[in-house]
Amino acid sequence: MARVYNFSAGPAMLPTEVLTRARDEMVDYQGTGMSVMEMSHRGKHFVGIAEQAEANLRKLMNIPDNYKVLFLQGGASTQFGAIPLNLGNGSGKADYLNTGHWSVKAIKEAKRFVDVNVVADTKPENFTTLPAEGETTFSPDADYVHYTPNETIAGVEFPYIPDTGDVPLVADMSSTILSRPIDVSKFGVIYAGAQKNIGPAGLTIVIVREDLLGKSRENTPAMLDWATQAEADSMYNTPPTYAWYMAGLVFEHLLAKGGLEEMGKINERKAEKLYAAIDGNDFYRNPVEPAYRSWMNVPFMLADDSLDKTFLEEAGRQGLVTLNGHRSVGGMRASIYNAMPEAGVDALIHFMNDFAKRHG
Amino acid sequence: MARVYNFSAGPAMLPTEVLTRARDEMVDYQGTGMSVMEMSHRGKHFVGIAEQAEANLRKLMNIPDNYKVLFLQGGASTQFGAIPLNLGNGSGKADYLNTGHWSVKAIKEAKRFVDVNVVADTKPENFTTLPAEGETTFSPDADYVHYTPNETIAGVEFPYIPDTGDVPLVADMSSTILSRPIDVSKFGVIYAGAQKNIGPAGLTIVIVREDLLGKSRENTPAMLDWATQAEADSMYNTPPTYAWYMAGLVFEHLLAKGGLEEMGKINERKAEKLYAAIDGNDFYRNPVEPAYRSWMNVPFMLADDSLDKTFLEEAGRQGLVTLNGHRSVGGMRASIYNAMPEAGVDALIHFMNDFAKRHG
């Protein structure tokens, strides 16, 4: 079959050029006679791959020199525990913004280790909105503030970076990293599971300001201690080498395409036209307050949900797949990360209009 | 370049047939129009891949029904912490056998959480031997006993399973799993990082007897809690899907080759001939007591270590690579896991004999 447009929330599409290159290098990487998967992580070939990937990520995101970049295993869910273990050793208090499914999970895990103060909560609005800029009051004695800039399930995204003063800001950027330029210097810690905008599942990037290292709580497992990982250049143990390599290919691809400025323009355009198609047709509905709609995850409902199954089947036959909404929400969801071509969004809009005409 | 014989201790060789198949399926997995890397872990395609992999591993290892099989991230080093957190909640005491580099690391991490009693220690012998069967006395009130059946650096391997009575036996099988048949029912927990005999780095298999689940210590991070992972079929968060798929291809390949009985015969033969070549030539030396020599990791020294560099260079030119010993030991090390063909061992022996003749 031809390549499909896969709207999965993650693991998600990867650029076809990246997959093709990975295919061509699979059995023999650049004349080494071995696959990247087979290389010692301490050998010169893999160390070269790893260093180049980090250099390219630093360039893409313009990461200041006083930040470490870690390539870890375990997923953002592992960091939900690592964050309070690494940072919650001062007052033992932390501020959290509760703005969706992933915030809820981060808060639940943090409560095992620190006193969590929920300083903003949009659950009463079913996570369809966000606190306005400047509206949230933070605790001056918190060890850190945590938030989720983009929530994949309800499809909300902060259009601003909360100002937390001197308290380090920690952001779960799993579903928004690399989608547009950001000012890394505003953050204490940025972390992201790879499987949306970076590469295959099994890799998590942690970008941490150096002065926040080395303060972990007693009984922090060594593998979750950022300082331990930073000292070992993310090779305290064997890292997920193949995922690291794939991430490097994606970074290289993004640089060649014009970097995050260019991705931001394309992503904004993709999102705008999809929301316009939804808003412009009574057959579809997106419940999120327009100012806070996500560029990456676009949930929408059919006016008649008895047509959901037909919608998914017909879409699938046209190569538009994984459009089902999260099991906790229902309806549809189109995740349109960097690797979703604009042509894929166009094809979805075309199908949606046609489907509405035939069934509306 | 042609495929090389790569003697890396891990990440290590994978069967060429497996890599070729992965290459062919990279851009479009079996007509789905997407790569396995791009699939939602909750979609039917990936769930099928995941279940088949587990079924094949159960068949290969003859895993009893009262054991859960977990596919996790993080590496054996993560389990060094997870083991005391999951099992050390009774007396808070654990017995450890200290028989090499990896035992040392497991003990160091366990001490953060439980009282460690070292019941056997071969460090005085520089880890070149092991306790004889029946020689070790275990503590009846320990929560568990931990050992490392095969140590990759010194190259020692237990030819027996320690009898710990009713105390659960926990084994780090990273470098010996799947190399020969074992009786899983003798163990409480078996765990193994994938990057030696299973698949790519970034996946760790944990095989745990069901009655040991659900007893974790307070403050165990959710991701390290085996019960949480078992309840979620290893999908508490997004698992390392591509590594899981690759492991499945390896399991299928091993079954087609005759399973672990057959692998055991081949591995024994490969090891025997390599040790015979070392012992039969004064130019080479392996310091390990013969009864405890590893089938998987064969360290050896040249009589004149000023020739080490020349040995590695000449070997490399013949496609025999990553033969350097661990940086803590020096000399040479040939890791000859399942995926190292017997022809690779033959080529190494031929080269060693020739090198000795020319330089001896």
Side-chain angles (χ1 to χ4, degrees):
Chain A
M1 169 168 208
R3 295 264 301 158
V4 294
Y5 294 121
N6 174 12
F7 294 90
S8 172
M13 282 190 87
L14 288 164
T16 303
E17 302 90 316
V18 165
L19 290 171
T20 305
R21 178 160 163 201
R23 178 194 65 197
D24 294 344
E25 294 181 340
M26 174 63 87
V27 179
D28 177 7
Y29 176 77
Q30 301 190 357
T32 57
M34 60 178 106
S35 175
V36 172
M37 278 184 215
E38 302 177 299
M39 290 176 180
S40 168
H41 54 297
R42 304 203 185 274
K44 67 179 176 190
H45 295 300
F46 185 74
V47 169
I49 289 168
E51 288 176 351
Q52 189 61 54
E54 180 179 335
N56 283 343
L57 180 62
R58 285 184 175 276
K59 194 169 170 188
L60 267 175
M61 293 183 68
N62 196 19
I63 300 172
D65 287 345
N66 63 324
Y67 285 74
K68 292 283 188 191
V69 178
L70 309 179
F71 289 77
L72 306 179
Q73 295 187 57
S77 295
T78 305
Q79 297 306 319
F80 293 165
I83 288 157
L85 285 165
N86 279 277
L87 299 179
N89 204 12
S91 65
K93 297 181 197 170
D95 284 355
Y96 275 73
L97 285 76
N98 188 32
T99 59
H101 177 89
W102 294 105
S103 303
V104 169
K105 292 195 90 166
I107 288 167
K108 186 179 167 201
E109 184 72 2
K111 282 183 174 170
R112 293 166 178 261
F113 308 104
V114 293
D115 290 334
V116 170
N117 184 23
V118 176
V119 292
D121 190 354
T122 57
K123 183 150 183 17
E125 290 83 30
N126 214 13
F127 298 132
T128 56
T129 187
L130 288 174
E133 185 162 13
E135 189 183 275
T136 307
T137 306
F138 299 103
S139 317
D141 66 336
D143 285 335
Y144 63 94
V145 176
H146 181 279
Y147 84 123
T148 313
N150 184 82
E151 283 278 0
T152 54
I153 292 178
V156 291
E157 186 163 8
F158 280 80
Y160 65 90
I161 299 171
D163 181 358
T164 59
D166 290 337
V167 179
L169 179 62
V170 179
D172 175 1
M173 290 208 184
S174 297
S175 52
T176 182
I177 193 166
L178 305 182
S179 68
R180 61 174 98 184
I182 54 153
D183 182 351
V184 174
S185 74
K186 303 279 191 204
F187 297 87
V189 181
I190 290 169
Y191 67 105
Q195 65 271 13
K196 297 160 196 300
N197 258 340
I198 295 173
L203 173 70
T204 299
I205 305 277
V206 177
I207 302 166
V208 52
R209 216 175 60 212
E210 282 172 353
D211 63 288
L212 299 175
L213 294 172
K215 301 174 179 177
S216 65
R217 292 167 71 93
E218 207 188 351
N219 288 358
T220 301
M223 285 286 287
L224 270 55
D225 193 313
W226 297 330
T228 301
Q229 295 285 4
E231 277 159 29
D233 293 328
S234 305
M235 295 197 192
Y236 175 74
N237 76 331
T238 311
T241 51
Y242 197 72
W244 194 331
Y245 154 75
M246 288 296 302
L249 294 187
V250 170
F251 301 154
E252 203 179 312
H253 171 80
L254 292 177
L255 283 171
K257 283 195 69 167
L260 301 194
E261 286 284 351
E262 187 59 23
M263 295 318 297
K265 284 181 203 158
I266 299 170
N267 285 324
E268 184 172 22
R269 204 161 63 219
K270 281 155 56 184
E272 275 187 356
K273 65 169 85 171
L274 183 50
Y275 285 115
I278 292 166
D279 291 343
N281 194 325
D282 285 345
F283 196 83
Y284 302 106
R285 184 174 55 84
N286 169 288
V288 176
E289 194 174 329
Y292 304 123
R293 283 172 166 178
S294 168
W295 286 7
M296 296 285 104
N297 309 97
V298 182
F300 60 94
M301 314 292 160
L302 276 55
D304 175 1
D305 67 7
S306 75
L307 287 169
D308 282 3
K309 201 160 161 266
T310 311
F311 183 95
L312 290 168
E313 281 169 4
E314 289 191 15
R317 281 200 291 276
Q318 299 198 19
L320 306 166
V321 306
T322 330
L323 278 162
N324 48 304
H326 188 266
R327 61 200 188 289
S328 68
V329 177
M332 305 297 150
R333 175 175 49 169
S335 294
I336 51 175
Y337 300 116
N338 282 345
M340 172 60 67
E342 193 162 354
V345 175
D346 292 339
L348 174 61
I349 292 169
H350 180 80
F351 168 75
M352 287 170 69
N353 288 337
D354 181 60
F355 187 87
K357 230 177 266 171
R358 286 185 289 107
H359 294 278
Chain B
M1 173 169 203
R3 295 265 299 157
V4 294
Y5 293 121
N6 173 12
F7 294 89
S8 172
M13 282 191 87
L14 288 164
T16 303
E17 302 91 316
V18 164
L19 290 171
T20 305
R21 181 162 161 199
R23 179 194 65 198
D24 295 344
E25 294 181 342
M26 174 61 88
V27 179
D28 178 8
Y29 175 77
Q30 301 190 357
T32 57
M34 60 179 106
S35 175
V36 172
M37 278 183 213
E38 301 177 299
M39 291 178 179
S40 167
H41 55 297
R42 304 203 186 276
K44 67 179 174 188
H45 295 301
F46 185 74
V47 169
I49 288 168
E51 288 177 351
Q52 188 61 55
E54 180 179 335
N56 283 343
L57 180 61
R58 285 186 175 276
K59 195 170 169 189
L60 266 176
M61 293 183 67
N62 195 22
I63 299 173
D65 288 343
N66 63 324
Y67 285 75
K68 293 283 188 192
V69 178
L70 308 179
F71 289 77
L72 306 179
Q73 295 186 57
S77 295
T78 305
Q79 297 307 318
F80 293 167
I83 288 157
L85 285 165
N86 279 276
L87 300 178
N89 203 14
S91 64
K93 298 181 196 170
D95 285 354
Y96 276 72
L97 285 77
N98 188 33
T99 60
H101 177 89
W102 295 104
S103 304
V104 169
K105 291 195 92 168
I107 288 167
K108 186 179 169 203
E109 183 71 2
K111 281 183 175 171
R112 292 165 177 262
F113 307 105
V114 293
D115 290 334
V116 170
N117 185 22
V118 176
V119 291
D121 191 353
T122 56
K123 183 149 181 20
E125 289 83 30
N126 214 12
F127 298 132
T128 57
T129 186
L130 289 173
E133 185 164 13
E135 189 182 275
T136 308
T137 305
F138 299 103
S139 317
D141 66 336
D143 285 337
Y144 64 93
V145 176
H146 180 280
Y147 84 122
T148 313
N150 185 81
E151 285 277 1
T152 53
I153 292 179
V156 290
E157 186 164 9
F158 280 80
Y160 65 90
I161 299 172
D163 181 358
T164 58
D166 291 336
V167 179
L169 180 61
V170 179
D172 175 0
M173 289 207 185
S174 297
S175 51
T176 181
I177 195 166
L178 303 181
S179 68
R180 60 173 100 184
I182 54 152
D183 183 350
V184 173
S185 74
K186 303 280 190 202
F187 296 87
V189 181
I190 290 169
Y191 66 106
Q195 65 271 15
K196 297 159 195 299
N197 258 339
I198 294 173
L203 173 70
T204 298
I205 305 277
V206 177
I207 302 166
V208 52
R209 216 174 61 210
E210 283 172 353
D211 64 287
L212 300 175
L213 294 172
K215 301 174 180 176
S216 64
R217 293 168 70 93
E218 208 188 350
N219 288 356
T220 300
M223 285 285 288
L224 270 53
D225 192 312
W226 297 329
T228 301
Q229 295 284 3
E231 276 158 31
D233 294 327
S234 306
M235 295 197 192
Y236 175 76
N237 76 331
T238 310
T241 51
Y242 196 72
W244 194 330
Y245 153 76
M246 288 297 300
L249 295 187
V250 170
F251 300 154
E252 204 178 312
H253 171 79
L254 292 177
L255 283 170
K257 284 194 68 165
L260 301 194
E261 286 284 352
E262 187 59 23
M263 294 321 296
K265 284 180 204 160
I266 298 170
N267 285 324
E268 184 172 22
R269 203 162 62 219
K270 279 154 57 184
E272 275 187 356
K273 66 169 83 169
L274 183 50
Y275 286 115
I278 293 165
D279 292 343
N281 194 325
D282 286 345
F283 196 82
Y284 301 107
R285 183 173 56 84
N286 169 288
V288 176
E289 195 174 328
Y292 304 122
R293 283 172 166 178
S294 168
W295 286 7
M296 296 285 104
N297 309 97
V298 182
F300 60 94
M301 314 292 160
L302 274 57
D304 175 2
D305 66 9
S306 74
L307 287 168
D308 282 2
K309 200 159 164 267
T310 312
F311 183 94
L312 289 168
E313 281 169 3
E314 290 192 15
R317 281 201 291 275
Q318 300 199 20
L320 306 166
V321 306
T322 331
L323 278 162
N324 49 306
H326 188 268
R327 60 200 190 288
S328 68
V329 178
M332 305 296 150
R333 174 174 49 168
S335 294
I336 51 175
Y337 301 116
N338 283 344
M340 172 59 68
E342 193 162 354
V345 176
D346 292 339
L348 174 61
I349 292 169
H350 180 81
F351 168 75
M352 287 169 69
N353 288 337
D354 181 59
F355 187 88
K357 229 178 267 169
R358 286 184 289 110
H359 295 276

